[in-house]
Amino acid sequence: MANLHIIKAGWQSTVQDLGRQGYFRSGLSEGGALDEIAFRWANALLNNPANSACIEILMGDFEAEFEQATCIAITGADLNCTINGKSIENWQSLKVKAGDRIRFNSPITGLRAYLAIAGGWQTPIQFGSRSTVLREKLGGIDGEKLKIGQKLSYLVNPDTPLQKLDSQFIPKYTDELTLKVLPSYQYDLFSETAKRRFFTSEYSVSQRIDRMGYRLEGPEVMADNQQLISEGISLGAIQVPPDGQPIVLLKDRQTIGGYPKFGCVASLDCSLLSQQAPGNRVRFELSDVATVQIQRRLFEKRLQIFNYI
Amino acid sequence: MKVSAVSENACLIQVGDHISESLTAVIAQLSENIEQTLGDALIDLIPSYTTLLCVYDLNKVDDLWMLKTLRQIVQSVDSTENNSVTSIDYLGKSLSRLIEIPVWYDPEVGYDLEVMASDKQMTQSELIQLHTSKEYRVFATGFMPGFAYMGSVDTALATPRQATPRKAVAAGSVGIADIQTSVYPAQSPGGWNIIGRSPTQLFDISRGDNAALLQVGDRVQFVSVDRATFIELGGQLG
């Protein structure tokens, strides 16, 4: 075992895996990497098990030093990453030596980068997961974001085969994003006018975005009935509070809630949304469960084939 | 009961329209049957007042299989329910656990006890008597780990949430919001009307899988204790 020494902790760098499942009924959030696409590829590039913990680095200003040689992979947002001052490309695995310094500077495209390490970051497992949920003080190191001076343990695996992801599989974090929506929950409580407005308008990402959800700004869409009995909330649920501005609920969402919901955004589209910065434009399009499930299964297949070859 | 697909990996069962204890018993029965039938295709269940959300692994089954299977389960439970509403009520009651929660009801820790009692034109001990006079049922959990929404309190106790939530409500605080009652597992901002404090740990990581004391369907009885007992049981002042 060796350690990564945190020199600069950044805005919000947290340890994340695929999240905490099986404890929703005790009121625990799912948690987990917000951008599952980038997270899964980071582990695939190192032949890691799919649930190995990565560091999710929000917007950069993160610096750390490796105690011993091993292999890492970087995916997700381009935060102008350097090792010992030399620029390195995203979406590949690479070797690091003892004493190497990695730095994530500031966003060029996207918001969240994933730093994976061969074998995964070795932080304690709580309720079946290493994911940090700040609100619940669970996961990571003491349930908090990473801090200056902390050490993160890793296994020494310098001989992991190096790989690079073909550009056709690399998502583009473009400004305009269209999210596929499965109409469900209180969809029928919204008027035809509200539905039309919702699917034909452009929304912009507001300043109020975090791991719980993305609040969007645009034409108001109000449901006819505002008073609902709280019910279980699925990933990607589009919740509309009384101000009529939709919120797409992400990994750190609460388990139940009582605001009217339009339906759910596809999980892979939630990943792409989590890379969008305030001011970026977002649209919604009507989709169906079969289409979205097939896309998700194709994604899983691609990962399997990548690790098989 | 209505079953629908709400997302690519979740189905929602709408069990009824109104909050009632018998729905909670039906939801408990459904949960048990679903867990047995789905096995490892089930990721988790989120029971709430009138609904049950079933989250599943879309790499193992698809939405059509889920809808068909859930509708079969719903039908079998539905027919049991129609044949003998009382038996399922009885079943729900005999299967569910009864948990006693000690509470020190006092203005020192129950910030709103005095105001509530005077608003309702009753003495503090009458208010305490009403709160401890019946068993409550856990209808839902959420908001924060270990937080359980329980009901229903006597209509004389029902009080709307505070217009401006407090910045910090102490861990263990026992509150009332409308016809529901609950205990804050940890310090948190909150708008419930606080009438006392419990020394019981509602959420304790060291208990592992049983970290959350209360689960949907549990029955809860509040028991009034004095200051000395509260402190002896580990209650925290301040």
Side-chain angles (χ1 to χ4, degrees):
Chain A
M1 288 277 243
N3 289 311
L4 177 82
H5 296 256
I6 312 284
I7 296 160
K8 276 178 109 174
W11 298 96
Q12 189 191 79
S13 309
T14 55
V15 175
Q16 300 292 346
D17 57 18
L18 286 174
R20 206 159 269 122
Q21 292 172 333
Y23 299 93
F24 300 163
R25 63 189 95 176
S26 300
L28 297 191
S29 275
E30 180 175 20
L34 273 195
D35 183 347
E36 271 188 73
I37 302 174
F39 172 89
R40 293 290 297 277
W41 280 122
N43 280 322
L45 285 163
L46 292 164
N47 283 312
N48 276 348
N51 197 25
S52 307
C54 293
I55 305 177
E56 180 179 281
I57 298 162
L58 174 67
M59 299 195 320
D61 203 25
F62 176 93
E63 189 174 354
E65 189 176 306
F66 294 92
E67 215 173 64
Q68 288 198 45
T70 193
C71 291
I72 61 167
I74 298 154
T75 62
D78 181 353
L79 301 181
N80 185 17
C81 180
T82 57
I83 290 181
N84 303 329
K86 197 170 152 262
S87 269
I88 46 168
E89 251 181 79
N90 252 0
W91 303 96
Q92 61 170 341
S93 48
L94 50 130
K95 277 190 204 313
V96 288
K97 304 183 303 294
D100 274 358
R101 277 204 178 195
I102 191 166
R103 232 191 102 79
F104 291 84
N105 294 285
S106 54
I108 295 170
T109 60
L111 285 184
R112 296 161 217 274
Y114 291 86
L115 172 57
I117 195 151
W121 297 103
Q122 304 297 307
T123 52
I125 296 175
Q126 284 182 306
F127 301 105
S129 167
R130 294 187 161 94
S131 287
T132 315
V133 178
L134 299 172
R135 181 165 42 85
E136 295 175 350
K137 299 189 177 66
L138 287 179
I141 298 176
D142 303 326
E144 297 190 53
K145 58 184 187 181
L146 297 178
K147 292 189 211 137
I148 291 178
Q150 279 180 334
K151 294 175 200 169
L152 275 182
S153 305
Y154 61 89
L155 309 164
V156 179
N157 281 316
D159 301 322
T160 308
L162 300 183
Q163 302 178 88
K164 204 171 167 170
L165 188 61
D166 195 293
S167 65
Q168 63 169 320
F169 298 133
I170 299 175
K172 311 270 181 296
Y173 305 132
T174 46
D175 173 28
E176 254 176 290
L177 178 65
T178 302
L179 305 169
K180 281 180 286 302
V181 176
L182 310 173
S184 62
Y185 283 119
Q186 287 75 36
Y187 186 69
D188 294 335
L189 286 185
F190 291 87
S191 68
E192 287 306 314
T193 313
K195 286 175 193 162
R196 193 172 60 237
R197 193 179 287 169
F198 183 70
F199 287 110
T200 56
S201 303
E202 196 172 81
Y203 285 86
S204 70
V205 175
S206 77
Q207 295 286 340
R208 287 163 65 187
I209 56 171
D210 59 21
R211 292 189 35 89
M212 276 180 82
Y214 261 52
R215 191 177 187 279
L216 305 174
E217 281 167 354
E220 289 174 8
V221 281
M222 238 89 79
D224 292 341
N225 184 353
Q226 299 291 331
Q227 290 295 318
L228 298 170
I229 299 171
S230 284
E231 59 189 358
I233 304 177
S234 186
L235 175 70
I238 306 159
Q239 172 178 282
V240 185
D243 67 2
Q245 302 291 300
I247 302 171
V248 180
L249 296 172
L250 301 175
K251 293 294 177 74
D252 285 4
R253 70 193 178 282
Q254 295 185 356
T255 51
I256 62 170
Y259 287 125
K261 295 175 284 299
F262 239 103
C264 289
V265 171
S267 64
L268 294 178
D269 289 349
C270 289
S271 287
L272 297 175
L273 177 63
S274 75
Q275 295 289 3
Q276 299 290 320
N280 285 8
R281 289 164 296 171
V282 170
R283 284 177 171 277
F284 296 96
E285 75 178 6
L286 206 51
S287 188
D288 57 86
V289 182
T291 306
V292 168
Q293 281 187 343
I294 287 166
Q295 285 182 341
R296 180 76 209 204
R297 289 196 195 105
L298 278 174
F299 172 66
E300 302 287 334
K301 268 282 177 293
R302 234 171 261 146
L303 285 159
Q304 270 173 22
I305 293 168
F306 181 82
N307 277 347
Y308 182 74
I309 296 169
Chain B
M1 288 193 241
K2 194 181 144 220
V3 184
S4 59
V6 291
S7 77
E8 69 199 64
N9 73 339
C11 291
L12 188 75
I13 305 175
Q14 182 85 44
V15 184
D17 297 325
H18 300 285
I19 298 174
S20 86
E21 284 205 20
S22 57
L23 281 193
T24 303
V26 175
I27 290 169
Q29 187 63 54
L30 281 173
S31 303
E32 211 180 297
N33 294 8
I34 291 168
E35 278 186 321
Q36 278 171 10
T37 311
L38 263 63
D40 70 346
L42 182 72
I43 290 176
D44 210 346
L45 291 169
I46 308 183
S48 189
Y49 301 91
T50 56
T51 52
L52 180 61
L53 185 75
C54 313
V55 186
Y56 62 93
D57 186 340
L58 62 79
N59 291 307
K60 296 202 169 86
V61 294
D62 67 4
D63 59 313
L64 296 177
W65 186 88
M66 275 298 291
L67 289 171
K68 195 182 98 197
T69 308
L70 291 178
R71 282 182 184 133
Q72 280 165 359
I73 294 171
V74 160
Q75 254 170 25
S76 71
V77 172
D78 231 353
S79 55
T80 329
E81 189 197 12
N82 289 336
N83 291 340
S84 50
V85 175
T86 45
S87 85
I88 201 153
D89 262 353
Y90 175 75
L91 193 68
K93 210 155 210 164
S94 64
L95 285 178
S96 65
R97 306 176 298 166
L98 174 66
I99 291 162
E100 283 195 359
I101 297 184
V103 181
W104 175 39
Y105 295 93
D106 190 274
E108 190 180 333
V109 287
Y111 324 120
D112 304 309
L113 185 63
E114 280 172 319
V115 174
M116 265 176 77
S118 78
D119 280 355
K120 295 177 189 309
Q121 298 178 325
M122 54 175 91
T123 64
Q124 287 177 31
S125 52
E126 281 167 344
L127 193 152
I128 295 162
Q129 160 66 26
L130 270 182
H131 194 248
T132 52
S133 66
K134 64 178 287 198
E135 262 175 41
Y136 301 109
R137 181 73 83 156
V138 177
F139 288 131
T141 60
F143 171 57
M144 63 197 285
F147 192 93
Y149 296 84
M150 295 172 252
S152 303
V153 299
D154 191 289
T155 46
L157 284 181
T159 312
R161 281 178 177 77
Q162 306 209 327
T164 313
R166 284 196 172 81
K167 283 209 181 84
V169 174
S173 293
V174 177
I176 290 176
D178 302 316
I179 56 163
Q180 301 194 75
T181 184
S182 189
V183 186
Y184 283 81
Q187 183 181 305
S188 152
W192 291 44
N193 303 282
I194 306 302
I195 55 174
R197 197 178 293 177
S198 174
T200 303
Q201 294 268 339
L202 272 291
F203 188 82
D204 182 355
I205 292 178
S206 67
R207 292 197 294 248
D209 278 0
N210 301 314
L213 178 68
L214 301 177
Q215 301 286 340
V216 171
D218 284 347
R219 292 173 296 141
V220 172
Q221 174 71 57
F222 290 105
V223 181
S224 176
V225 299
D226 60 17
R227 191 178 202 270
T229 314
F230 170 78
I231 288 169
E232 197 186 302
L233 292 172
Q236 299 288 316
L237 300 169

